[in-house]
Amino acid sequence: MTPLLEARNVVKHFPVRRGLFGGSDKAVRAVDDVSFMIEPGSTLGLVGESGCGKTTTAKLVLLLERPTAGEIRFDGESLAALDAEGLRRYRHSVQAVFQDPYASLNPRMRVGAIIAEPLVTNERQLSSAEVAARLQKVLDLVGLPARAAQLFPHEFSGGQRQRIAIARALTLSPRLIVLDEPVSALDVSIRAQILNLLKDLQRELGLAYLFIAHDLAAVAHMSHVIAVMYLGRVVESGAARTVAREPRHPYTKALFAAALPSHPDDSRDEIVLAGDVPSPLNPPPGCRFHTRCPHVMPHCSTDEPALASVDGRDVACHLYDPAAVSSGARS
Amino acid sequence: MNGSRAATLTTTWRLAAFRTEGLPIFPIAILTVLAVLAIFADVIAPHDPQVGLLGERFRPPAWQQGGSTAHLLGTDHVGRDVLSRLIFGARVSMVVGFTAVIFAGVVGTVLGILAGYLGGWVDQVIMRITDAWLALPALTFAIFLAAIVGPSEMNIVIILGAVYWTRYARVVRGEVLSLKERDYVRLAIVAGCSKRTIMRRHILPNVVNSAIVLATLMLGVVIVTEAALSFLGVGVPPPKPAWGLMLADGKKGLMAGYWWLTVLPGVCIMLMVLSANLLGDWLRVKLDPQLRQL
Amino acid sequence: MATLLDVRGLSTHYVSARGTRVTRAVEDVSFALDDGETLGIVGESGSGKSTLALSLLRLLPPGARTVAGTVRFDGEDLMRKSEAEMRHIRGKRIAMILQDPMASLNPLFTVGDQVAEPLRVHEGQSRRGAWERARGLLGAVRISAPDMRVRNYPHELSGGMRQRIVGAIAISCGPRLLIADEPTTSLDVTIQAQYLALLRDLQRAQRLAMIFITHNLGIVARMCDAVAVMYAGRIVESGPVRQIFNAPKHPYTRALIESIPRLGEANGRLTAIEGQPPDPAALPEGCAFHPRCPARLEKCATERPRDSIVGAGHRTACWLHG
């Protein structure tokens, strides 16, 4: 089965201007050789902390930014080669929901107009009756009453606004929705509602999701595949259950260990990393994680590890080099 | 909080400074009165403002010795009734003021949106023009233009609009730069909207507030400029009554003690500008807390 | 263990400028804290938890006033103290950490100046003496190269480091109680773990009592000995942390615990709470939670439930339990 979305060695650097006349010798290496796949109807969870490049990845998928190198393919077609018609079809198929429910909706537009906007922009031939029918359908799908269309965003709570944003994303019957921290800004008691809704919609409509979050438990709950990013690279990726239950990369382990327990008696190995996350302007040489890694070895600071298949998932770590494995250095 | 103490505080505030909780009664009242005078000038004014009786020259206001109730605020150097001229002058000031402000606002807002959203060379060109424009002192520039195209009411409106649009462009562009980064604009791009649609549907309605506030604040400036132009003889041409013109004419009589010819038009200008500024100030706080820095 | 803090019947209201709207942000809150104990106060937006924190230290914004209750700290009622006396308590005996470290630090002063400030104000230290102590404090909060860092400005440091500086300022005069209002919400996951470990170690080293105000039950599970759950300005359940997690009695607490996704558990449906948190200015009649409660009774809509004891040190306000 062709993956729905495939990223191959995608690179995105943001040049940093210096001096009067430009001349960018420095760049923020936001995304540095990232590859992943999303199968139709499944969820890829992207986890990482600030500066890891997950938001930039989302922007690349949404064509809000163009890659510096590498390519992204949708349904086998390269995004770089899209003409105007192809771009229109892409917009049909890929929509987004962002983090802040208070900034995602134009405060001067009625909710009905906000939700219908993708439809009226891309399907101009539809009559207003057809648009209205679709509007009612998506409002129903997200559990909002029909009269919501007449109201303005400020009359809704955070959770309801996020439903409006989801309704809008559904209007064009997309095949992939990019969800960038969709519940982080919501109250705890509302998050479950929205996560349940997203799961239901996935089942009913066969949607694929690119789910980006820093809340590991939410990502593990929602995703079929998890990719862990650190400073612009994928350090571990595989089936969600596999990665979450038995992480292999030291960063993934630290990340999951750092996730807060759900019960006071939840014993988790405490792995407290030293130091701060380095800046993407100046990533450490060799393995980018080596400055904070509790298992750092001499060649970690010179050789960058490549993603290799280990125990049913991909890991980029010298601890799992065939040579290291055979000398018993596995942890 | 102790209930009565809270109540006292608000009453004091309201009386003193037209704070956000209540409507600013004073400026709205003044502006409404002036608007009514302007619209119904023909009916309200007791005399023809452009025709004077030479026998009635330099009559002082009714409450002074030598004044009469026929001319409540006295007459000018050709015997024209001052009250009627003030009333008709309100019409000129309001029309010129509002039209110029709207004209400047429309031009400035549109250019500001284009510069802010499109960026690149469009932004550069518009901003360099704005910089150059702003470098010229407004009044001098206006006089220069007026001297070239000749004075007429229409020309004055165009000149004032041309001089003051840059203030709008600057402010609006700044807002657009930050609006551009909002999630709902990004989502509109993701939905496939064209740049034109985004500017019209998402950017424009959200900068209108600032433009309106700026307009009320600019009203005062424009009216004073119009008065200055009239005073200098390059504004609304006589015999049409304009407050600035009345000031210029009345200047001659100041030494002779004909104070009402300058003080009264001056007071009118002051009231109008003050009201416009107070209203603009209140609107600024009420409509958009982010504009408080302006 | 001695009772360090004893709060009884605390109520704080916000009054709108015209005197027309009264928002009961905190209503009739009572709890107690022992020396060296950590209490977690859990609530969502509109629950009143941040207002509660500010009320304890009498740092309320204009428009808010504590209208009832006592706050006994080390035997003395803080509500009866003068502003001058409170100034001696804040920073010296009770310290506070807020959510956004960038807003807590003055961008114009060096880190050293800011850490030294409470020492100079409260202990009358000289500038040099205070800076010496500041360096030591930076070491205590595990900032590397403190000699260099002490001369840095806040914007030169990362978020995690800034929050540690805020922590250093807080513990500088050896307070007995630390109030932390969402101190890790703006931090990355691994940085948060570092910070919480630091706080726990500091607590043990200095026998510090802590009040942790958060919406995150995970922090409570890791850090706290006791929990108080707030909803719409009132405490709806309180007790020892294991009891609350093992056998929550109030439907809100129970739903909250069950609605959070858990690592390593089957990915079924999460238990969601219907509706949204209420507007504090327009609370429902009776029990404030009843519109969303899956187990509501008829009387919940008309009568507000009284506090009742349901276990050792475990209280809840719910008609299902007396």
Side-chain angles (χ1 to χ4, degrees):
Chain A
M1 185 163 50
T2 348
L4 186 63
L5 185 83
E6 193 183 352
R8 288 188 189 170
N9 309 106
V10 175
V11 173
K12 180 66 185 173
H13 289 176
F14 292 101
V16 172
R17 292 265 172 90
R18 291 187 72 179
L20 277 175
F21 298 101
S24 39
D25 50 340
K26 275 205 165 194
V28 173
R29 297 156 70 165
V31 173
D32 227 353
D33 194 9
V34 160
S35 305
F36 57 82
M37 286 198 293
I38 305 181
E39 302 289 344
S42 79
T43 304
L44 170 66
L46 217 50
V47 209
E49 298 176 297
S50 357
C52 73
K54 54 192 201 290
T55 308
T56 309
T57 306
K59 288 191 187 164
L60 289 168
V61 170
L62 291 170
L63 283 182
L64 288 168
E65 299 275 1
R66 297 273 172 175
T68 317
E71 75 169 352
I72 302 179
R73 287 171 170 261
F74 186 77
D75 245 356
E77 249 190 284
S78 170
L79 293 188
L82 288 178
D83 57 3
E85 175 59 27
L87 186 58
R88 202 185 68 85
R89 272 183 291 118
Y90 187 69
R91 293 281 180 226
H92 241 278
S93 313
V94 178
Q95 285 293 313
V97 174
F98 290 151
Q99 175 175 356
D100 186 354
Y102 293 91
S104 300
L105 310 175
N106 185 339
R108 304 300 220 116
M109 282 172 76
R110 283 185 208 271
V111 163
I114 293 176
I115 295 179
E117 186 177 36
L119 197 59
V120 304
T121 307
N122 287 294
E123 302 283 330
R124 283 171 218 271
Q125 75 285 3
L126 289 180
S127 70
S128 38
E130 290 170 307
V131 172
R134 180 79 191 144
L135 180 57
Q136 288 311 312
K137 176 97 207 291
V138 294
L139 279 174
D140 193 46
L141 276 175
V142 300
L144 285 171
R147 59 176 194 86
Q150 303 307 318
L151 303 173
F152 284 94
H154 67 259
E155 303 179 68
F156 293 92
S157 69
Q160 289 169 323
R161 286 184 201 219
Q162 210 61 323
R163 285 176 194 264
I164 294 171
I166 294 173
R168 178 194 161 104
L170 292 175
T171 325
L172 282 173
S173 307
R175 294 162 65 199
L176 169 67
I177 301 187
V178 175
L179 301 158
D180 192 349
E181 308 268 14
V183 294
S184 318
L186 301 177
D187 268 325
V188 176
S189 61
I190 309 290
R191 285 182 200 178
Q193 286 180 17
I194 303 295
L195 290 177
N196 283 347
L197 173 65
L198 287 170
K199 270 205 152 180
D200 289 342
L201 289 170
Q202 179 169 60
R203 216 184 34 241
E204 272 179 58
L205 305 172
L207 293 168
Y209 291 144
L210 177 59
F211 190 85
I212 297 173
H214 62 266
D215 178 356
L216 293 166
V219 172
H221 174 83
M222 296 289 294
S223 313
H224 300 90
V225 176
I226 292 183
V228 180
M229 288 184 74
Y230 187 80
L231 275 187
R233 307 198 122 218
V234 174
V235 297
E236 183 162 1
S237 78
R241 217 159 279 179
T242 318
V243 174
R245 290 232 182 101
E246 294 165 5
R248 289 277 179 257
H249 193 284
Y251 178 61
T252 317
K253 289 190 187 177
L255 210 53
F256 279 90
L260 295 164
S262 39
H263 191 282
D265 291 329
D266 241 355
S267 65
R268 216 168 273 168
D269 300 325
E270 273 218 26
I271 304 175
V272 177
L273 294 175
D276 286 304
V277 183
S279 151
L281 256 177
N282 235 337
C287 169
R288 294 178 183 203
F289 186 60
H290 84 262
T291 54
R292 302 171 78 198
C293 185
H295 306 286
V296 61
M297 299 182 290
H299 63 281
C300 293
S301 55
T302 47
D303 306 330
E304 253 198 285
L307 272 175
S309 179
V310 175
D311 291 336
R313 94 294 298 280
D314 292 329
V315 187
C317 180
H318 288 305
L319 286 171
Y320 303 100
D321 282 346
V325 165
S326 61
S327 68
R330 189 187 305 201
S331 62
Chain B
M1 192 183 276
N2 187 319
S4 59
R5 191 157 163 264
T8 329
L9 271 175
T10 49
T11 326
T12 323
W13 269 142
R14 241 189 243 166
L15 285 176
F18 328 107
R19 289 291 153 163
T20 54
E21 286 303 336
L23 282 177
I25 307 172
F26 177 68
I28 289 186
I30 299 283
L31 288 174
T32 316
V33 165
L34 287 173
V36 165
L37 289 180
I39 297 173
F40 297 108
D42 307 286
V43 179
I44 299 179
H47 299 270
D48 187 323
Q50 303 197 19
V51 171
L53 262 128
L54 287 174
E56 296 284 320
R57 300 167 73 211
F58 292 125
R59 276 213 183 279
W63 61 86
Q64 276 195 233
Q65 197 186 29
S68 78
T69 48
H71 300 284
L72 278 173
L73 294 179
T75 60
D76 67 358
H77 63 288
V78 289
R80 295 177 292 205
D81 178 39
V82 169
L83 177 59
S84 306
R85 282 181 70 78
L86 286 178
I87 291 174
F88 273 88
R91 177 183 282 181
V92 170
S93 292
M94 291 216 114
V95 165
V96 170
F98 276 96
T99 320
V101 152
I102 291 172
F103 177 46
V106 168
V107 171
T109 304
V110 167
L111 290 179
I113 291 179
L114 288 173
Y117 193 75
L118 296 175
W121 64 267
V122 175
D123 186 19
Q124 290 299 318
V125 165
I126 296 180
M127 277 300 108
R128 297 295 80 81
I129 296 178
T130 309
D131 287 340
W133 235 248
L134 282 173
L136 302 168
L139 191 53
T140 319
F141 192 26
I143 295 171
F144 173 68
L145 287 175
I148 294 182
V149 300
S152 85
E153 207 166 323
M154 186 54 156
N155 282 359
I156 294 300
V157 168
I158 295 178
I159 289 171
L160 289 172
V163 169
Y164 286 110
W165 69 265
T166 48
R167 275 111 183 121
Y168 291 87
R170 260 275 149 86
V171 170
V172 166
R173 174 181 175 271
E175 274 214 41
V176 169
L177 285 179
S178 84
L179 278 178
K180 229 176 31 166
E181 304 303 316
R182 291 279 160 85
D183 277 347
Y184 60 82
V185 173
R186 290 232 174 86
L187 285 170
I189 299 176
V190 169
C193 293
S194 68
K195 286 191 177 160
R196 197 185 315 149
T197 311
I198 293 179
M199 287 193 280
R200 180 174 43 88
R201 194 184 287 158
H202 294 286
I203 305 283
L204 178 60
N206 287 293
V207 295
V208 154
N209 274 0
S210 325
I212 291 179
V213 170
L214 194 57
T216 41
L217 293 173
M218 287 261 88
L219 191 59
V221 174
V222 164
I223 290 170
V224 167
T225 310
E226 180 271 315
L229 288 177
S230 305
F231 182 82
L232 293 168
V234 288
V236 175
K240 223 169 179 193
W243 291 340
L245 197 54
M246 292 171 72
L247 271 177
D249 290 337
K251 193 183 57 167
K252 308 162 200 151
L254 209 46
M255 284 323 228
Y258 304 134
W259 61 270
W260 59 94
L261 297 176
T262 46
V263 171
L264 295 177
V267 166
C268 287
I269 295 174
M270 186 201 81
L271 281 178
M272 190 169 202
V273 173
L274 183 63
S275 307
N277 279 358
L278 285 172
L279 183 64
D281 225 29
W282 174 82
L283 259 183
R284 178 216 303 167
V285 172
K286 190 99 171 122
L287 281 184
D288 193 321
Q290 279 164 318
L291 278 186
R292 278 194 194 123
Q293 305 110 12
L294 257 188
Chain C
M1 273 208 283
T3 306
L4 181 66
L5 184 72
D6 188 5
V7 178
R8 303 258 174 102
L10 188 63
S11 300
T12 300
H13 296 174
Y14 283 84
V15 181
S16 72
R18 278 202 202 119
T20 45
R21 256 176 29 149
V22 175
T23 304
R24 296 189 165 73
V26 176
E27 188 77 2
D28 199 19
V29 159
S30 305
F31 62 87
L33 188 65
D34 288 337
D35 245 335
E37 195 186 2
T38 308
L39 169 69
I41 298 188
V42 180
E44 301 177 290
S45 46
S47 62
K49 58 192 196 301
S50 289
T51 309
L52 176 58
L54 295 175
S55 304
L56 294 175
L57 278 176
R58 291 179 45 190
L59 285 172
L60 294 167
R65 178 67 76 88
T66 300
V67 301
T70 59
V71 177
R72 302 198 86 81
F73 177 70
D74 237 357
E76 302 166 311
D77 187 2
L78 295 181
M79 293 296 132
R80 291 215 187 292
K81 291 199 176 275
S82 68
E83 182 56 29
E85 291 172 313
M86 282 309 295
R87 267 206 297 276
H88 285 299
I89 293 182
R90 291 183 203 123
K92 186 172 167 60
R93 295 171 66 201
I94 304 180
M96 191 156 169
I97 302 182
L98 300 171
Q99 177 178 332
D100 183 3
M102 207 51 210
S104 306
L105 295 172
N106 189 329
L108 299 176
F109 290 93
T110 59
V111 159
D113 274 332
Q114 300 195 52
V115 177
E117 187 180 16
L119 293 166
R120 300 181 67 191
V121 167
H122 290 297
E123 295 184 9
Q125 296 256 350
S126 68
R127 189 158 194 269
R128 174 174 282 169
W131 269 65
E132 277 303 311
R133 289 271 299 274
R135 252 177 243 138
L137 283 164
L138 290 187
V141 294
R142 298 185 197 145
I143 290 191
S144 56
D147 294 321
M148 191 180 73
R149 291 288 176 217
V150 103
R151 291 186 198 290
N152 281 138
Y153 285 86
H155 66 267
E156 296 175 304
L157 306 172
S158 70
M161 277 203 265
R162 282 182 219 143
Q163 200 62 314
R164 288 162 192 270
I165 305 287
V166 170
I169 296 174
I171 60 165
S172 54
C173 296
R176 306 274 305 284
L177 170 64
L178 175 63
I179 302 177
D181 190 350
E182 308 264 22
T184 57
T185 310
S186 61
L187 302 178
D188 276 322
V189 172
T190 52
I191 309 294
Q192 176 178 258
Q194 288 177 353
Y195 195 73
L196 291 177
L198 172 68
L199 283 180
R200 230 187 11 225
D201 291 341
L202 284 175
Q203 188 183 21
R204 275 188 216 131
Q206 306 203 352
R207 261 193 29 112
L208 195 54
M210 282 210 292
I211 296 182
F212 236 108
I213 298 182
T214 180
H215 62 267
N216 192 329
L217 280 171
I219 292 188
V220 171
R222 177 168 279 180
M223 301 289 292
C224 301
D225 305 309
V227 191
V229 180
M230 281 187 79
Y231 191 83
R234 291 175 188 270
I235 294 188
V236 295
E237 186 162 4
S238 62
V241 69
R242 271 178 190 75
Q243 277 232 13
I244 301 280
F245 273 89
N246 286 336
K249 293 282 186 253
H250 196 284
Y252 176 61
T253 316
R254 193 178 306 140
L256 216 51
I257 292 175
E258 286 173 12
S259 74
I260 295 175
R262 248 161 256 217
L263 269 182
E265 279 187 18
N267 296 358
R269 244 180 121 67
L270 297 168
T271 319
I273 311 182
E274 280 175 36
Q276 17 265 336
D279 177 4
L283 292 174
E285 291 275 319
C287 170
F289 186 61
H290 86 260
R292 308 171 73 191
C293 185
R296 66 174 166 269
L297 309 165
E298 264 203 44
K299 68 178 342 190
C300 299
T302 46
E303 283 178 65
R304 203 169 31 79
R306 275 167 287 119
D307 229 17
S308 51
I309 300 185
V310 289
H314 188 173
R315 311 169 69 92
T316 187
C318 178
W319 286 127
L320 290 171
H321 301 282

